[in-house]
């Protein structure tokens, strides 16, 4: 994208966005069904990170202090959620469940509880199957190879709520919008089918948005929560002075709520609109603000355009063309592809935030050790698989690495010093340092605790010292350890970026057995008489030749044929060794050059 230039709109895709309802609480409820129907909150540190909808009816909400939650709802069940393993595993299971039901294999996760699906190919295939004479009894095919796999639906009307609301009743559309209208109807029924399967088979509910790109599908799904779905319907564009659905939908959103516009970018835009620094919300929500600046405020501001946004948001370290990119997002344009399902994650990280003061290195080292141990354990889960070549008579299953991360990254977020009046400015700036990941972390003979201790002493301590040269007195609000720069290994699949050469050599005997040439130990093992029964030699072929001796060695080199051991072909006049006669005659049969009357019989 060139600097300051807005993107072109592409409404050819049908994207479905899933947002699992109260995900952390749902995971705990599935582990213990007795907790369903009671107010349930998930605690991390001293904060409610999420709660189920029964608890929300009682006054609980996200990022609420635990002390306040207990006061508001004394009978709430509070479960500690510091260990993310159960939530991460459930997220991966649900992602695989949805991914297996798509054709494009484009299923992208955002965090633990959100998934985008690109269903364009499924929709377009089923549009071609529509019977225009009986739209009421349509059938959505879920498998191109099995026309009986799918579900019945009414393709005349959209399923579920729409934006704008009147779109469900139908209205005048041009030809292009009419086609999109039909495709979105099919998208709504596919979303309904997937939601119901997710609930019936996995016992999870989700809020779903259906639109033509990732940004719109994510935002429109929030319109009707929970356990519901919403479709953004055409006309999407401005027409004859009337406002299209996209502008009407986007304009009411605060700019900080638009995916792709982070806190720093939103802060700069707010400051330009207000002509001063915006006031921050004094709560637990980082990046919150008391002053609401909407998309409409930015879109209709007389001084703002892609070029001006480039000046405001650009600078050292910023993405090239950031002004045009943000201007496009504010207008509902988003050409980002839904990511294809990956065999291994792009990175694995562990982090923790701290309300208390980390004032000496012993405390810092302890946190580095805890994060490192969790990280290594997570690597064993996400980057390893059972080895299919494990010997059958062994008692234990061997494990093998799917990928080796090559880079280790340490990130911290320091708190600013106190002001003279005792207040402290909020900071969201992180600082990072990267280094090669030591190979000893891939050892499977040492426990993760020993590997983590060694990693802290040999690598992370030096990395931390480079970030914070002072010997003590740090005040960190966050520490993150990540491994990235994955090098895929040990895979036989075509979609893998790596190959396990060792396993290839181990299996080469089996793979190449059909192509292996073996030489006979003795010519007597060759049944020459049987061959001659198939392609017998004519009498003249043996004239002047020595009597065949089965004990003689088979001579395959023409230079070694003695005089008299040849046959002069009556078709082409070539001298042919007697052993090659049958093949030579078959050649003449193929090209049709055998003289009339000459036969092998």
């Amino acid at each position: 994208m060139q600097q300051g230039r807005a993107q072109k709109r592409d409404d050819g895709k049908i994207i479905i966005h899933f947002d699992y309802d109260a995900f952390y609480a749902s995971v705990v409820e599935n582990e213990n069904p007795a907790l369903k129907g009671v107010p349930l909150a998930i605690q991390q540190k001293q904060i409610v990170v999420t709660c189920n909808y029964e608890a929300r009816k009682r006054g609980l909400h996200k990022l609420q202090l635990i002390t306040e939650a207990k006061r508001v709802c004394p009978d709430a069940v509070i479960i500690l959620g510091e260990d993310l393993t159960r939530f991460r595993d459930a997220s991966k299971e649900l992602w695989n469940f949805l991914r297996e039901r798509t054709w494009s294999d484009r299923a992208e996760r955002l965090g633990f509880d959100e998934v985008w699906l690109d269903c364009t190919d499924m929709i377009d295939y089923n549009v071609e199957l529509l019977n225009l004479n009986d739209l009421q009894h349509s059938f959505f095919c879920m498998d191109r190879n099995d026309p009986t796999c799918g579900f019945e639906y009414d393709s005349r009307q959209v399923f579920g709520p729409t934006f704008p609301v009147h779109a469900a009743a139908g209205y005048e559309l041009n030809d292009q919008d009419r086609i999109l209208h039909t495709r979105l109807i099919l998208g709504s029924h596919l979303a309904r089918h997937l939601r119901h399967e997710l609930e019936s088979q996995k016992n999870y509910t989700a809020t779903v948005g259906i639109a033509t790109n990732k940004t719109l599908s994510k935002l429109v799904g929030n319109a009707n929560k929970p356990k519901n779905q919403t479709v953004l319907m055409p006309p999407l564009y401005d027409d004859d002075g009337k406002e299209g659905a996209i502008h009407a939908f986007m304009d009411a959103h605060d700019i900080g709520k638009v995916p792709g516009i982070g806190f720093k970018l939103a802060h700069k835009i707010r400051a330009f609109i207000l002509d001063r620094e915006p006031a921050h919300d004094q709560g637990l929500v980082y990046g919150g603000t008391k002053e609401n600046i909407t998309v409409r405020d930015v879109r209709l501001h007389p001084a703002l355009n892609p070029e001006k946004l480039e000046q405001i948001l650009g600078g050292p370290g910023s993405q090239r063309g950031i002004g045009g990119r943000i201007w496009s997002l504010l207008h509902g344009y988003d050409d980002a592809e839904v990511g294809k399902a990956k065999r291994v994650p792009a990175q694995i990280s562990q982090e923790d935030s701290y309300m208390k003061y980390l004032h000496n290195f012993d405390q810092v080292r302890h946190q580095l050790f805890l994060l490192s141990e969790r990280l290594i354990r997570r690597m064993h889960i996400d980057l390893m698989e059972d080895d299919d070549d494990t010997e059958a008579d062994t008692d234990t299953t061997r494990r093998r690495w799917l990928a080796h991360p090559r880079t280790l990254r340490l990130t911290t977020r320091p708190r600013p010093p106190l002001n003279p009046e005792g207040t402290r400015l909020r900071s969201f700036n992180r600082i990072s340092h990267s280094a090669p990941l030591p190979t000893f972390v891939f050892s499977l003979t040492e426990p993760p605790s020993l590997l983590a201790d060694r990693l802290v002493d040999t690598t992370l301590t030096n990395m931390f010292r480079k970030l914070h040269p002072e010997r003590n007195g740090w005040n960190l609000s966050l520490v993150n350890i990540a491994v990235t720069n994955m090098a895929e290994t040990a895979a036989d699949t075509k979609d893998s970026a790596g190959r396990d050469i060792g396993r290839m050599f181990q299996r080469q005997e089996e793979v190449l057995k059909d192509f292996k040439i073996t030489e006979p130990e003795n010519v007597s093992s060759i049944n020459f008489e049987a061959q001659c029964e198939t392609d017998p030699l004519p009498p003249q072929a043996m004239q002047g030749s020595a009597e065949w001796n089965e004990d003689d060695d088979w001579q395959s080199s023409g230079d070694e044929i003695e005089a008299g051991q040849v046959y002069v072909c009556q078709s082409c006049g070539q001298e042919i060794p007697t052993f090659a006669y049958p093949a030579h005659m078959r050649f003449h049969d193929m090209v049709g050059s055998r003289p009339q009357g000459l036969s092998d019989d």
Side-chain angles (χ1 to χ4, degrees):
M1 182 193 302
Q2 295 183 3
Q3 180 173 337
R5 179 175 296 180
Q7 299 174 3
K8 294 182 179 180
R9 188 194 304 275
D10 178 13
D11 293 318
K13 297 183 177 66
I14 302 297
I15 309 298
I16 301 178
H17 176 266
F18 279 77
D19 185 355
Y20 310 132
D21 298 322
F23 177 64
Y24 281 20
S26 297
V27 173
V28 174
E29 288 176 348
N30 275 284
E31 292 177 349
N32 185 3
L35 295 176
K36 292 188 176 182
V38 302
L40 173 66
I42 308 300
Q43 174 185 352
Q44 289 181 0
K45 297 291 188 283
Q46 297 301 314
I47 300 172
V48 175
V49 291
T50 191
C51 53
N52 63 6
Y53 287 94
E54 182 62 31
R56 298 180 193 188
K57 294 177 184 178
R58 309 281 189 93
L60 272 62
H61 57 81
K62 291 182 181 180
L63 302 178
Q64 188 177 33
L65 289 173
I66 291 296
T67 53
E68 181 184 356
K70 291 180 177 179
R71 178 181 58 80
V72 172
C73 184
D75 57 340
V77 177
I78 299 176
I79 302 295
L80 188 63
E82 296 282 354
D83 185 1
L84 300 179
T85 301
R86 60 170 71 164
F87 310 121
R88 187 180 284 108
D89 291 345
S91 174
K92 189 174 183 179
E93 179 184 359
L94 298 183
W95 172 73
N96 279 319
F97 180 83
L98 293 173
R99 180 181 63 85
E100 291 169 355
R101 282 152 179 78
T102 62
W103 296 354
S104 66
D105 205 31
R106 291 194 175 274
E108 180 181 348
R109 281 194 292 178
L110 178 65
F112 288 165
D113 59 346
E114 297 183 50
V115 175
W116 279 290
L117 302 177
D118 187 338
C119 302
T120 306
D121 52 353
M122 301 179 70
I123 299 300
D124 291 344
Y125 180 85
N126 280 278
V127 167
E128 296 295 325
L129 298 181
L130 288 176
N131 182 358
L132 300 181
N133 298 316
D134 190 12
L135 295 176
Q136 182 179 0
H137 302 96
S138 298
F139 184 83
F140 196 103
C141 182
M142 294 291 292
D143 188 343
R144 279 177 286 206
N145 298 320
D146 184 0
T148 65
C149 179
F151 58 91
E152 295 182 357
Y153 70 105
D154 184 353
S155 62
R156 300 174 304 171
Q157 55 190 5
V158 66
F159 181 87
T162 64
F163 186 96
V165 176
H166 68 271
Y171 43 86
E172 292 296 325
L173 297 171
N174 59 37
D175 291 342
Q176 184 176 358
D177 283 340
R178 190 177 298 111
I179 295 173
L180 179 58
H181 184 271
T182 300
R183 297 171 73 236
L184 286 169
I185 286 177
L186 268 66
S188 73
H189 288 279
L190 175 59
R192 181 262 306 172
H193 174 75
L194 295 176
R195 282 199 306 115
H196 289 181
E197 280 206 327
L198 190 70
E199 183 174 6
S200 62
Q201 298 188 36
K202 295 297 181 180
N203 210 21
Y204 285 86
T205 64
T207 300
V208 173
I210 305 100
T212 57
N213 63 49
K214 292 172 64 176
T215 295
L216 295 175
S217 62
K218 175 175 169 59
L219 288 175
V220 78
N222 296 329
N224 294 280
K225 281 192 169 187
K227 197 178 178 181
N228 211 331
Q229 65 181 62
T230 310
V231 190
L232 184 61
M233 300 295 289
L236 304 179
Y237 302 96
D238 294 347
D239 186 22
D240 297 331
K242 296 188 299 183
E243 201 169 59
I246 289 181
H247 284 161
F249 173 70
M250 293 290 299
D251 278 356
H253 289 84
D254 183 85
I255 56 174
K257 299 295 184 181
V258 179
I261 303 180
F263 167 75
K264 292 182 180 179
L265 297 180
H267 182 82
K268 291 180 179 179
I269 297 174
R270 289 191 186 101
F272 179 84
I273 297 289
L274 298 171
D275 199 23
R276 58 173 171 80
E277 287 293 310
H280 290 295
D281 186 10
Q282 299 301 316
L284 293 172
V285 183
Y286 277 96
T289 179
K290 293 181 178 179
E291 296 168 297
N292 186 35
I293 300 297
T294 66
V295 171
R296 183 179 180 85
D297 295 332
V298 179
R299 186 171 66 87
L300 299 182
H301 194 283
L304 285 178
N305 52 44
E307 292 74 18
K308 186 62 177 179
L309 279 178
E310 186 74 29
Q311 297 176 14
I312 298 172
L313 306 177
S318 63
Q319 178 186 357
R320 185 180 179 184
I322 187 67
R325 169 68 177 167
I326 298 303
W327 187 257
S328 296
L329 290 177
L330 294 174
H331 286 72
Y333 303 178
D334 184 8
D335 64 351
E337 295 277 355
V338 175
K340 271 208 166 188
K342 296 181 179 179
R343 183 166 168 261
V344 296
Q347 71 172 24
I348 301 175
S349 67
Q350 293 289 327
E351 74 174 33
D352 210 341
S353 56
Y354 309 97
M355 302 295 291
K356 295 183 178 180
Y357 193 79
L358 294 179
H359 64 276
N360 60 60
F361 185 73
D362 288 340
Q363 293 177 333
V364 171
R365 191 196 181 286
H366 179 64
Q367 296 303 319
L368 292 176
F369 169 77
L370 294 177
L371 293 174
S372 298
E373 184 179 19
R374 284 159 45 187
L375 179 67
I376 293 172
R377 293 185 185 278
R378 195 66 227 171
M379 288 170 57
H380 287 182
I381 294 174
D382 289 349
L383 299 181
M384 297 190 71
E385 67 177 1
D386 291 340
D387 192 343
D388 295 334
D389 293 339
T390 300
E391 297 293 336
D393 57 350
T394 57
D395 295 332
T396 59
T397 301
R398 288 166 50 189
R399 303 274 289 166
R400 53 193 292 266
W401 289 97
L402 294 172
H404 286 162
R406 292 180 287 194
T407 303
L408 177 68
R409 186 180 66 233
L410 174 64
T411 303
T412 64
R413 185 174 63 198
R415 285 190 181 91
L418 290 173
N419 295 323
E421 61 273 17
T423 61
R424 191 193 307 273
L425 293 176
R426 280 198 166 185
S427 173
F428 309 97
N429 295 325
R430 298 187 179 195
I431 55 176
S432 300
H433 182 72
S434 298
L437 179 66
T439 56
F440 66 76
V441 300
F442 304 118
S443 170
L444 300 180
T445 59
E446 297 183 66
S449 58
L450 291 181
L451 294 175
D453 195 63
R454 185 177 171 189
L455 183 63
V456 172
D457 288 339
T458 62
T459 307
L460 287 172
T461 296
N462 293 332
M463 296 174 67
F464 184 83
R465 292 295 188 190
K466 291 181 179 180
L467 287 176
H468 304 280
E470 60 275 13
R471 298 185 63 84
N472 52 39
W474 307 286
N475 190 358
L476 306 177
S477 61
L478 177 142
V479 176
N480 176 291
I481 302 177
V483 289
T484 184
N485 194 13
M486 301 289 180
E488 289 193 41
T489 60
D492 297 327
T493 57
K494 293 182 179 179
D495 59 347
S496 171
R499 292 290 184 270
D500 188 341
I501 303 300
R503 296 182 72 203
M504 291 171 61
F505 277 117
Q506 292 172 10
R507 298 180 54 206
Q508 69 175 350
E509 289 293 331
E510 176 187 355
V511 174
L512 300 178
K513 64 182 180 181
D514 295 333
F515 304 95
K516 189 173 181 180
I517 299 176
T518 58
E519 299 231 356
E521 295 181 1
N522 194 297
V523 75
S524 61
S525 62
I526 301 176
N527 191 341
F528 184 77
E529 293 180 357
Q531 179 180 352
C532 289
E533 289 178 3
T534 305
D535 290 296
L537 293 172
Q540 60 268 38
M542 299 299 296
Q543 293 176 0
S545 65
E547 184 178 355
W548 186 267
N549 187 349
E550 291 185 0
D551 294 331
D552 290 342
D553 290 337
W554 181 274
Q555 303 293 336
S556 60
S557 173
D559 295 335
E560 298 175 0
I561 299 295
E562 296 181 3
Q565 292 182 297
V566 295
Y567 164 66
V568 179
C569 178
Q570 298 180 9
S571 299
C572 61
Q574 294 291 324
E575 293 184 351
I576 307 299
T578 54
F579 68 82
Y581 168 77
H584 187 73
M585 286 297 100
R586 284 195 294 273
F587 166 78
H588 281 300
D589 287 339
M590 288 189 294
V591 300
S593 62
R594 180 180 293 198
Q596 294 294 328
L598 183 61
S599 172
D600 287 340
D601 297 333

